[in-house]
Amino acid sequence: MSTLAVISAGLRDPSSTRLLADRLAAATVRSLGAGATGGEETEVVHVALRDHAHDLTNNLLTGFPTGELRGAVERVVGADGLIAVTPVFNASYSGLFKTFFDVLEPGSLEGKPVLIGATGGTARHSLALEFAVRPMFAYLRSLVVPTAVFAATADWGAAGESAGDLVERVDRAGAELAGLIAGRAHGADSDAASDAASDAGADPYDDVIPFERLLAGQ
């Protein structure tokens, strides 16, 4: 079973930030289900940062998470993939969003597949994903999918082609994240199989295809 952590930093309940996070999660789960074999399911863990605001401040002051924040951090760090969505304040991510990633242990998100999203009043804020959010995850050494999804206020009330554009971006980003999660799981399975063969005394390089057969396309 794959685990998908979904972080939303919206301050209101309900919020457009949570709505976008939920849509991205649903698209990712659909793509994972389409490519899964044997009925594998995906567990989705939602983390609303507004519920941990006080504990995050305490974490900054004390150096360690307490209360429900500890469990939220463990679920995010242990997930196979991460969706992180922030509202855009003053042309960048929110302070609450940044604080959560500031309190994580160094290296805890290294190599983790991540899909980033943001919401804002107008499309003019969309570049915040590329000059603020993506560089932060690059610094954390996460694997960020190519498609970042921004939703402006107008996107939620749009009809026709405009509404389809957001749906298309959400589906594309979800498929990209699902691909990274599935590829990571496949790589882990391959490593486990290789380790098992080594433990059994088998040399994976014993069965070598001769070079002349490779040239002949066999």
Side-chain angles (χ1 to χ4, degrees), residues 26-43:
T28 303
V29 170
R30 284 196 301 271
S31 292
L32 284 170
T37 58
E40 182 179 350
E41 297 181 354
T42 303
E43 179 186 4

Side-chain angles (χ1 to χ4, degrees), residues 106-128:
S108 59
L109 295 184
E110 183 172 347
K112 188 177 299 298
V114 176
L115 191 168
I116 58 175
T119 58
T122 71
R124 290 176 297 175
H125 298 301
S126 61
L127 286 179

Side-chain angles (χ1 to χ4, degrees), residues 16-188:
S16 59
T17 302
R18 175 60 187 264
L19 179 59
L20 178 59
D22 288 345
R23 291 194 179 186
L24 291 171
T28 303
V29 170
R30 284 196 301 271
S31 292
L32 284 170
T37 58
E40 182 179 350
E41 297 181 354
T42 303
E43 179 186 4
V44 180
V45 177
H46 293 275
V47 178
L49 296 186
R50 69 187 299 273
D51 297 335
H52 304 287
H54 294 292
D55 285 336
L56 282 168
T57 301
N58 291 334
N59 195 162
L60 287 176
L61 297 174
T62 63
F64 58 89
T66 58
E68 295 182 358
L69 176 61
R70 179 189 297 274
V73 168
E74 291 175 351
R75 291 191 292 271
V76 168
V77 171
D80 297 299
L82 173 63
I83 294 173
V85 185
T86 178
V88 174
F89 295 154
N90 295 323
S92 188
Y93 39 60
S94 72
L96 187 61
F97 183 82
K98 181 62 162 57
T99 300
F100 180 82
F101 295 101
D102 283 345
V103 303
L104 297 183
E105 291 294 327
S108 59
L109 295 184
E110 183 172 347
K112 188 177 299 298
V114 176
L115 191 168
I116 58 175
T119 58
T122 71
R124 290 176 297 175
H125 298 301
S126 61
L127 286 179
L129 281 165
E130 301 302 331
F131 69 70
V133 183
R134 190 181 295 275
M136 183 188 74
F137 282 104
Y139 176 81
L140 296 174
R141 303 182 66 84
S142 302
L143 300 178
V144 185
V145 303
T147 302
V149 181
F150 180 87
T153 301
D155 288 320
W156 303 114
E161 185 176 337
S162 297
D165 180 61
L166 177 59
V167 172
E168 180 182 350
R169 285 182 283 131
V170 166
D171 288 343
R172 182 169 64 246
E176 290 171 356
L177 180 60
L180 282 182
I181 293 173
R184 192 184 189 203
H186 178 72

